[in-house]
Amino acid sequence: MNTNVFVRSFRESSPYIHRFRGQTFVISFGGDAIADGSIRTLAHDIALLNSLGINLVLVHGAGPQIDAAMAERGLQGERVGGRRITTAAAMEAVTGAVGAARLAVEAALSQGQMGSPMAGAGLQVVGGNFLTAQPLGILDGVDFQHTGKVRRVAVEALQRHLAADEVVLLSPIGVSPTGTLFNVRAEEVAVATASALGAAKLIFLMDAGGVSNREGSLLRQLTAAEAVAMLRENDTACPSSVRQHMESAIHACRGGVERVHLIPRHVDGALLRELFTREGLGTLISQDPFEHLRRATLADVPGILELIRPLEEGGILVRRSRERLEMEAEQFVVMERDGKIIACAALYPYPEQGMAEMACLAVDGDYRRQGRGEQLLTFCEGLAREQGLRQIFVLTTQTTHWFLERGFRQGTLEELPMPRQELYNMQRRSQVFFRFLT
């Protein structure tokens, strides 16, 4: 790997490392990851997350293992509405299969060979009766018998183990107050646990690459409301398993989980790429929009400085000092993505002339040509209208066509408000463009 690329990538991950320390993540993976051995590679990344101070709750599935155990016993599995009907005989197969799957996960998390990513990790993995279950009961005339659902999560007990830097491993089995075992879907366990703990993230590792729209394009982020609309309108090209994950994500967001990630388990390092890079890898479903367009505050000044500095050095923007930005912070609007300022603009009103100047329009290089400049322009125009202004103008040296393409007309220096004329920099020779607000 190129040394410069490594250094840059490592530095770019540092804000996420700082932010995630002390947070709780719930990570759910199916029995397929155990059956094909990919759990051993996933364990490397789990150990790294633990070393970074992230509290981890792992929820494993055991579908293939249960199917194999039932086949060995000559039992026929039956599903209704995607749920397994668990008879008393099937429950015996379930407990044995889940136990074997759990031991395989514990073995993977206990790796520690010298020279491997797990060397020196020393993960402490704990489990227990953290889930109280109840029978799913009879639905539409179908008795699901020993198939259950989560009734309660032992939050305080889980928090004690997490505070002790232990990794909690949950299996898809719950116990009722009467001591009866129930087969519970791993997804439901993950959602209930993440909601009860108020986890910052719930992560599903799955076969698909994420959520795709009807055209087959991967969607990087969705709000829970948008996910609901997609499912309602059938506006997705996703298989049924991904739809189930979407439904689980929606339930988790409604239960207080801030962000749910759907990522492909077959991609090496998928977990790290999703968490520690700007673009991620799969699909993020969140309570609120992933990107926020809002008025700036003083706290945003460092982020604005970092964003505009390269453009100032290239002569595209007029250089602004930190002191000036602090004085003018209330004039700025910013677009924030995952805690990072990725775009900004300033709006300076001239109410006596019924005009406003939009200045310092900047978009991070990684996010250009995706419509964010137009979003900033629309937002600033809305602010100008709220102030009863009729026109907006800009001064630019290198983006004239961008404004012409968006309905601006070229004007003259004399058309500017007199206070702005007096501040005009003759050396820059900026061109002036106007647009009426409709």
Side-chain angles (χ1 to χ4, degrees):
M1 180 179 182
N2 181 283
T3 301
N4 291 334
V5 173
F6 168 76
V7 171
R8 183 170 64 253
S9 299
F10 201 38
R11 285 173 176 165
E12 288 180 353
S13 69
S14 60
Y16 302 102
I17 294 172
H18 298 317
R19 189 181 312 133
F20 295 159
R21 185 176 295 114
Q23 292 188 346
T24 298
F25 294 179
V26 176
I27 302 173
S28 176
F29 50 90
D32 288 331
I34 302 169
D36 65 16
S38 59
I39 181 60
R40 299 184 69 82
T41 303
L42 177 60
H44 299 165
D45 297 341
I46 289 171
L48 179 57
L49 297 184
N50 174 258
S51 72
L52 295 175
I54 298 170
N55 301 320
L56 297 175
V57 178
L58 310 180
V59 180
H60 76 86
Q65 292 80 4
I66 293 173
D67 290 339
M70 291 183 63
E72 288 179 3
R73 295 170 180 244
L75 300 174
Q76 296 295 320
E78 184 180 357
R79 293 177 182 271
V80 176
R83 293 180 180 273
R84 188 191 300 270
I85 297 176
T86 311
T87 63
M91 193 63 204
E92 293 182 8
V94 168
T95 54
V98 169
R102 180 188 181 88
L103 288 173
V105 175
E106 290 184 353
L109 295 172
S110 301
Q111 301 173 79
Q113 302 97 320
M114 293 301 295
S116 79
M118 295 286 286
L123 290 182
Q124 297 298 309
V125 183
V126 298
N129 58 337
F130 299 123
L131 301 175
T132 300
Q134 65 186 54
L136 191 61
I138 300 173
L139 300 178
D140 296 326
V142 177
D143 186 355
F144 283 86
Q145 302 183 53
H146 285 268
T147 297
K149 59 184 178 181
V150 177
R151 177 178 178 181
R152 185 175 62 85
V153 177
V155 173
E156 292 183 0
L158 288 175
Q159 289 174 336
R160 284 197 300 271
H161 288 290
L162 295 174
D165 195 31
E166 295 171 332
V167 175
V168 177
L169 178 60
L170 301 180
S171 298
I173 288 182
V175 185
S176 74
T178 62
T180 305
L181 296 175
F182 287 97
N183 177 21
V184 184
R185 287 177 58 194
E187 267 193 51
E188 294 182 14
V189 173
V191 170
T193 303
S195 300
L197 288 173
K201 293 183 183 295
L202 169 58
I203 303 166
F204 288 111
L205 288 135
M206 57 186 193
D207 289 331
V211 177
S212 298
N213 60 19
R214 190 176 295 168
E215 290 72 36
S217 299
L218 178 66
L219 302 174
R220 291 296 189 187
Q221 64 261 343
L222 291 167
T223 63
E226 289 170 338
V228 170
M230 283 190 71
L231 292 173
R232 182 185 300 123
E233 297 167 10
N234 199 30
D235 192 19
T236 171
C238 299
S240 60
S241 60
V242 177
R243 292 170 181 268
Q244 290 176 1
H245 280 98
M246 289 177 67
E247 292 172 353
S248 296
I250 292 165
H251 288 308
C253 288
R254 289 173 175 171
V257 180
E258 295 177 6
R259 295 179 178 178
V260 183
H261 301 256
L262 310 183
I263 62 175
R265 71 178 185 86
H266 295 294
V267 177
D268 186 30
L271 191 57
L272 302 183
R273 288 175 59 182
E274 176 70 10
L275 295 175
F276 297 106
T277 63
R278 290 184 188 177
E279 289 304 312
L281 185 67
T283 299
L284 167 67
I285 299 177
S286 60
Q287 295 180 15
D288 300 312
F290 190 43
E291 293 183 0
H292 301 271
L293 185 56
R294 57 175 174 78
R295 301 293 291 265
T297 67
L298 277 175
D300 297 314
V301 169
I304 295 173
L305 275 171
E306 181 182 354
L307 173 66
I308 66 176
R309 191 64 72 214
L311 299 175
E312 291 176 345
E313 292 172 353
I316 299 173
L317 295 179
V318 176
R319 188 174 292 275
R320 288 169 168 80
S321 66
R322 185 186 186 97
E323 291 74 18
R324 179 181 173 185
L325 280 174
E326 289 176 348
M327 292 176 60
E328 298 179 351
E330 64 181 16
Q331 309 295 340
F332 275 77
V333 297
V334 295
M335 184 175 289
E336 180 184 8
R337 180 184 175 92
D338 200 21
K340 178 182 176 63
I341 303 300
I342 64 167
C344 72
L347 188 72
Y348 300 99
Y350 293 88
E352 293 183 2
Q353 291 79 20
M355 297 182 181
E357 177 186 8
M358 189 175 75
C360 201
L361 175 61
V363 180
D364 186 292
D366 291 335
Y367 300 95
R368 291 175 190 159
R369 302 179 185 86
Q370 299 175 26
R372 292 179 176 85
E374 287 87 345
Q375 288 179 262
L376 285 166
L377 174 59
T378 301
F379 192 83
C380 288
E381 287 182 336
L383 293 178
R385 289 191 191 92
E386 289 176 5
Q387 299 175 52
L389 305 179
R390 301 183 302 277
Q391 265 190 106
I392 191 168
F393 67 88
V394 298
L395 281 75
T396 180
T397 59
Q398 299 184 35
T399 56
T400 58
H401 282 275
W402 192 89
F403 290 104
L404 286 171
E405 291 166 4
R406 284 151 184 83
F408 282 75
R409 65 167 181 86
Q410 188 166 359
T412 64
L413 176 61
E414 290 71 26
E415 293 179 78
L416 293 175
M418 186 57 67
R420 187 63 184 87
Q421 291 184 38
E422 295 172 352
L423 295 174
Y424 183 82
N425 186 332
M426 299 301 296
Q427 291 182 329
R428 282 182 61 83
R429 299 177 61 188
S430 299
Q431 293 180 285
V432 184
F433 294 88
F434 293 85
R435 185 161 108 168
F436 280 101
L437 302 176
T438 56

